[in-house]
Amino acid sequence: MEAKDEEDVSLGTNRFPERQPLGTAAQTEERDYKEPPLAPLFEVAELKSWSFYRAGIAEFVATFLFLYITILTVMGVVSSKSKCSTVGIQGIAWAFGGMIFALVYCTAGISGGHINPAVTFGLFLARKLSLTRALYYIVMQCLGAICGAGVVKGFKKSIYMANGGGANFVNPGYTKGDGLGAEIIGTFVLVYTVFSATDAKRSARDSHVPMLAPLPIGFAVFLVHLATIPITGTGINPARSLGAAIIYNGAHAWDDQWIFWVGPFIGAALAALYHQVVIRALPFKRKP
């Protein structure tokens, strides 16, 4: 009887062997997915396609809505005399993360749901989109951000200007180096999550991944905001920082503006390099 029990235990532990090899064992010739082809550097034919312009419009509208909701939330918190009567820092973080979750879900099938020049830059470095499309997206994202912040200012200019306009700058007690480091690491977390959530291999093997992709991306934005709002107000999105800086137009916001472009772009580049070279090992794979 004891021998039979041991046999049952043995069968139980081996009844469901690992069906998907892990690590380097997964680098085989047989694939159940196809790597998407690399995007050309310049794709002039895109300029004649309505889908190209539709995607840019989707990025504009998404970034507009993103700035409108998030900056309005920030104004509600900072203009209140008692933080207990507002959503607080956690609510601000939820507003940013929740909007990214909703907007990525809505626009992923149209433009890819970037809503962030740093994300666009990282995906461009990985050759996921052409330089033509990347520049177009970044311009539309910045325009959408400016319009979104402008609408918030239009509601109550005095409150908006008196409370910083949601602009990003390095807070007192921190150096510019601290702010730059926070932006680099925060953007790395976001862009690495984007790469992982939209990975071609995971999408092919796990049918639920495309549907759930906006969730980890939005959650990453939420967590980064919780960590870095005390340092820089959390940029990790050059369009968001630029839009608020232009509409607020405060000297201290412009003094630190370079941090919210250089930091996110460095973080995005590092995330693209890490995911493509280290995690996926794409440069080392043999061509089928």
Side-chain angles (χ1 to χ4, degrees), residues 144-185:
I146 294 168
C147 292
V151 170
V152 175
K153 181 179 179 179
F155 283 159
K156 194 69 174 177
K157 183 178 179 180
S158 58
I159 294 177
Y160 182 88
M161 297 303 295
N163 292 281
N168 290 121
F169 50 85
V170 179
N171 288 316
Y174 296 95
T175 66
K176 293 187 186 299
D178 296 333
L180 182 63
E183 290 297 306
I184 291 173
I185 296 173

Side-chain angles (χ1 to χ4, degrees), residues 3-268:
K4 186 178 184 304
D5 289 342
E6 290 181 358
E7 182 181 358
D8 290 342
V9 170
S10 178
L11 285 173
T13 56
N14 295 290
R15 187 172 297 169
F16 303 104
E18 183 63 50
R19 296 175 182 176
Q20 180 175 326
L22 303 175
T24 56
Q27 312 296 329
T28 63
E29 291 292 338
E30 296 182 2
R31 298 179 178 178
D32 57 358
Y33 72 101
K34 290 183 179 180
E35 289 288 351
L38 298 179
L41 187 59
F42 296 101
E43 195 166 5
V44 180
E46 284 185 320
L47 301 177
K48 301 177 182 180
S49 171
W50 165 242
S51 63
F52 175 79
Y53 297 101
R54 181 184 64 179
I57 294 170
E59 288 292 310
F60 172 87
V61 172
T63 316
F64 168 83
L65 294 173
F66 178 61
L67 265 288
Y68 169 74
I69 294 296
T70 55
I71 299 299
L72 203 57
T73 303
V74 171
M75 290 298 98
V77 171
V78 298
S79 64
S80 176
K81 295 181 180 179
S82 172
K83 296 298 183 289
C84 294
S85 62
T86 68
V87 295
I89 289 180
Q90 293 88 348
I92 293 174
W94 274 121
F96 278 90
M99 281 303 290
I100 288 297
F101 167 64
L103 293 170
V104 170
Y105 180 83
C106 292
T107 60
I110 302 170
S111 65
H114 297 187
I115 322 169
N116 186 336
V119 171
T120 300
F121 180 67
L123 294 173
F124 164 70
L125 292 181
R127 300 289 299 277
K128 303 289 187 182
L129 71 164
S130 67
L131 178 61
T132 313
R133 185 175 290 264
L135 292 175
Y136 176 51
Y137 277 15
I138 290 173
V139 170
M140 296 301 281
Q141 289 158 0
C142 290
L143 290 176
I146 294 168
C147 292
V151 170
V152 175
K153 181 179 179 179
F155 283 159
K156 194 69 174 177
K157 183 178 179 180
S158 58
I159 294 177
Y160 182 88
M161 297 303 295
N163 292 281
N168 290 121
F169 50 85
V170 179
N171 288 316
Y174 296 95
T175 66
K176 293 187 186 299
D178 296 333
L180 182 63
E183 290 297 306
I184 291 173
I185 296 173
T187 311
F188 179 93
V189 172
L190 169 59
V191 178
Y192 176 42
T193 304
V194 170
F195 273 103
S196 298
T198 59
D199 186 272
K201 179 182 284 187
R202 297 185 71 185
S203 297
R205 291 179 174 173
D206 302 318
S207 60
H208 62 279
V209 167
M211 181 66 70
L212 295 179
L215 182 59
I217 296 171
F219 200 62
V221 171
F222 165 70
L223 293 174
V224 171
H225 274 76
L226 282 183
T228 60
I229 282 176
I231 304 173
T232 62
T234 309
I236 67 171
N237 184 331
R240 172 260 187 273
S241 300
L242 179 67
I246 287 176
I247 299 301
Y248 176 60
N249 199 27
H252 60 298
W254 285 118
D255 289 342
D256 293 342
Q257 185 63 205
W258 66 272
I259 292 173
F260 302 101
W261 283 85
V262 175
F265 274 42
I266 292 176

